[in-house]
Amino acid sequence: MPFPTHRLRRLRTTGRLRDLVRETRLSPAQFILPLFACPGEGVRREIGAMPGNYQLSIDELVKECADVLSLGIGGVMLFGLPESKDEIASGAYDENGIVQRAVRALRRELPDLLIVTDVCNCEYTSHGHCGLIKDGDLDGVVDNDATLQWLAKTALSHARAGADIVAPSDMMDGRVGAIRQALDANGFEKTPILSYAAKFASVFYGPFREAAESTPQFGDRRSYQMDPANAREAMREIELDLEEGADMIMVKPAMPYLDLIYRARERFDVPIAAYQVSGEYSMIMAAARNGWLDQDRAMMESLTSIARAGAGIILTYFAKPAAKLLG
C-alpha cells in the first residue's frame, strides 16, 4: 500500500511549498478587461448590476486604460453605446462611431495598449437584436446573410481606426469568412480575428444588457446563439470558424461551460479565450457584499478554474483587482 510512504499532504504544508508545485498559474497578461465607451465628456457612470464597472466617456476611457497598462493587463475589449440607434445598426460601422473614436483616441494616447473590439450590432439596433430583422418578424429571427455585410463593414472600420484584434460576437453563420475577406481586401490581412465561436444563449448575460443597453425589444436570441445543452455542436461551430479564418476562438460564458473549454483545448491547437461574463461577476460580487463569500478568494478561484480548463486568455471584469492581487 502506498501510505505511509506516499503522503500527498507533504507538498501542501506551507504557502511556499504550495506556490512551488502549483500546476495552474495566473498572470495579468492573460486577462482582457471589457469596457463600455459612451458619448459625452467626464462621464463615469457606474453600472448598477456590476459594481466597480462603468460606462465611460472617451476621456475617462483613456484614464482607465492607462491603469490597465500600468497593471500589466493583457488588453481591453471595447463595447460601444451610440448616441442614437436605428434598424440598420448604422452606428456600428460609422467611421466616426463611438468605438471607432475610442480606438483612435486610445491608439494616440496609449500606443502600447492591446485593443480588441467587439463586432456586433445589438448595441446599435433600435430593436436590440444582432442583425437585420425582416419587416413584421416579431420573433427576433435575424436575417443571417444580410447581416454579414454589416459585420464586415464594422470590423473593417475598427481595423482602420487602429484595433489590434476584431472579435465578432453575433453568431451569424459565415461571419468570420466575410470579415476575413473584407479585412484582406483592404490591406488588413495582418489583423487577427478572435471569434466568439461557441456563444450560448445564456441567462448570465443579464447585467451586461444594462451595461451595454442592448436588451432585445421583442423575442430573444435563441435562434442564433447556441442551446446550452449542445456540446458537440459547439465543437462544430469552432471548427467552422477556424476554417473560415479565425485566428483565436472563444467560449462564452466561462464557468458554466468549463467542460467545453477543456474539450476545445484538447481538440484545437489555437489560442483559446473564455469570457467570464457579467452574471458570473455579479453573482460573486453580490455574495461577497452579503458576507457569504470572501471576494478575493472567490475571484481567484473562479479565474483559476477557467485557466485550469484550458483557456489561455480570460476576458473578465475582475481583471484589475485580480492583477493587483497577483502583483
Side-chain angles (χ1 to χ4, degrees):
M1 295 180 63
F3 180 81
T5 303
H6 298 291
R7 294 177 180 266
L8 297 186
R9 286 184 57 189
R10 289 190 186 111
L11 300 182
R12 303 173 197 157
T13 307
T14 67
R16 289 188 181 277
L17 268 175
R18 292 191 294 271
D19 289 345
L20 182 69
V21 301
R22 183 161 294 133
E23 298 174 21
T24 302
R25 298 179 185 274
L26 294 173
S27 164
Q30 71 193 104
F31 300 150
I32 292 177
L33 175 63
L35 293 171
F36 302 92
C38 70
E41 187 173 347
V43 178
R44 188 176 181 85
R45 185 182 306 118
E46 188 167 27
I47 300 159
M50 299 172 63
N53 290 269
Y54 303 84
Q55 295 174 342
L56 301 166
S57 55
I58 292 174
D59 55 325
E60 291 294 324
L61 185 72
V62 170
K63 296 175 186 176
E64 187 76 6
C65 289
D67 286 344
V68 166
L69 267 180
S70 70
L71 290 168
I73 293 168
V76 297
M77 170 77 85
L78 296 185
F79 297 90
L81 286 75
E83 293 183 359
S84 61
K85 306 185 181 194
D86 56 36
E87 293 187 356
I88 59 172
S90 59
Y93 43 85
D94 184 345
E95 294 289 347
N96 200 37
I98 184 66
V99 167
Q100 291 82 350
R101 287 185 282 123
V103 172
R104 287 195 292 269
L106 291 171
R107 183 56 65 229
R108 182 176 60 251
E109 300 295 330
L110 302 168
D112 294 333
L113 180 72
L114 182 80
I115 304 170
V116 189
T117 55
D118 179 78
V119 177
C120 197
N121 301 299
C122 58
E123 297 108 303
Y124 305 92
T125 52
S126 52
H127 46 68
H129 280 283
C130 296
L132 177 66
I133 301 289
K134 293 179 179 178
D135 290 342
D137 187 351
L138 297 182
D139 293 325
V141 179
V142 171
D143 186 324
N144 187 97
D145 294 6
T147 300
L148 299 184
Q149 183 182 4
W150 299 359
L151 298 166
K153 289 196 297 183
T154 300
L156 182 57
S157 71
H158 292 176
R160 283 176 173 151
D164 294 291
I165 300 169
V166 293
S169 64
D170 54 285
M171 289 302 289
M172 298 299 112
D173 293 336
R175 89 268 202 215
V176 171
I179 290 169
R180 185 73 272 161
Q181 184 177 15
L183 292 172
D184 291 357
N186 288 274
F188 292 98
E189 63 278 353
K190 293 182 180 179
T191 301
I193 297 173
L194 167 59
S195 172
Y196 290 66
K199 179 179 178 180
F200 291 84
S202 173
V203 71
F204 291 98
Y205 303 149
F208 174 92
R209 291 175 181 170
E210 176 191 338
E213 300 178 4
S214 61
T215 303
Q217 299 304 299
F218 52 84
D220 55 45
R221 296 176 179 152
R222 285 183 284 186
S223 69
Y224 44 103
Q225 294 178 357
M226 287 190 62
D227 184 336
N230 292 2
R232 293 189 298 273
E233 184 187 10
M235 297 303 105
R236 290 190 66 198
E237 286 279 11
I238 292 170
E239 187 171 21
L240 288 170
D241 281 6
L242 291 172
E243 288 177 2
E244 290 179 24
D247 302 281
M248 303 172 276
I249 63 93
M250 186 193 302
V251 176
K252 178 183 180 183
M255 285 184 65
Y257 300 91
L258 293 176
D259 61 317
L260 301 187
I261 298 170
Y262 180 80
R263 288 193 193 195
R265 177 69 286 154
E266 291 292 295
R267 183 167 171 178
F268 302 106
D269 292 326
V270 297
I272 293 177
Y275 198 145
Q276 186 183 45
V277 299
S278 59
E280 299 174 67
Y281 172 87
S282 295
M283 286 194 305
I284 291 173
M285 292 297 292
R289 289 192 168 198
N290 277 284
W292 300 335
L293 289 176
D294 179 293
Q295 179 179 319
D296 288 348
R297 289 187 62 189
M299 170 180 71
M300 299 308 290
E301 186 173 341
S302 66
L303 292 170
T304 299
S305 76
I306 297 166
R308 190 182 64 242
I313 303 164
I314 304 175
L315 289 86
T316 176
Y317 301 97
F318 284 122
K320 286 177 66 177
K324 289 174 183 176
L325 275 183
L326 291 168

